[in-house]
Amino acid sequence: MSTDVNAQHPYSPAFRAGDTIYVSGALSVDRDYRPVAGRDAALDAAMDRMTERLATAGGRVDDVVKLTYYVTDVSLREEANRQFERVFAQPRPARTFLAVSALPYGATVEIDAIAVVGEPPAE
């Protein structure tokens, strides 16, 4: 399977509309779509995928205004809180934390994000 985060998807992993970027489906998988083991490692993998996707549309972590965690184990909340504090400076973006029954590819974490950015870079 391709390692390009934008390849082979029937949707846009990152979509820019004006000054807003919508990032979807950032899973806790490696570049070959295998689930990442370990609680903190899975959270970090999903955050890394989200950051990569955000960058493809010209965004940075500092631009994120809303983040949604989808997890298969609600007890990940404390680890997610620590990650959120580590990754985002104050004031931190709004956040939602939801438990789901399953995620694609056996992942345990998925992150969606909304970012607000300035004008796109000149081509």
Side-chain angles (χ1 to χ4, degrees):
M1 189 167 280
S2 173
T3 59
D4 180 356
V5 296
N6 289 314
Q8 306 295 321
H9 294 289
Y11 60 90
S12 295
F15 186 87
R16 185 171 182 149
D19 289 346
T20 306
I21 300 173
Y22 301 89
V23 178
S24 64
L27 294 164
S28 59
V29 294
D30 65 18
R31 298 217 182 264
D32 294 318
Y33 290 85
R34 293 180 303 236
V36 172
R39 295 167 69 88
D40 289 323
L43 286 160
D44 288 343
M47 187 66 71
D48 290 346
R49 299 298 81 75
M50 185 278 297
T51 303
E52 291 165 359
R53 289 176 175 204
L54 181 62
T56 68
R60 302 179 338 255
V61 169
D62 294 344
D63 300 322
V64 173
V65 296
K66 173 69 168 77
L67 192 79
T68 303
Y69 285 90
Y70 301 92
V71 298
T72 58
D73 180 352
V74 74
S75 74
L76 283 169
R77 187 171 181 271
E78 290 308 314
E79 287 96 332
N81 285 343
R82 286 192 297 274
Q83 179 191 57
F84 197 72
E85 290 172 347
R86 186 178 76 247
V87 171
F88 296 101
Q90 290 188 358
R92 293 184 181 91
R95 187 194 77 174
T96 302
F97 188 85
L98 300 168
V100 296
S101 62
L103 291 167
Y105 304 106
T108 56
V109 180
E110 180 174 349
I111 295 176
D112 286 353
I114 300 171
V116 176
V117 295
E119 292 297 314
E123 293 185 25

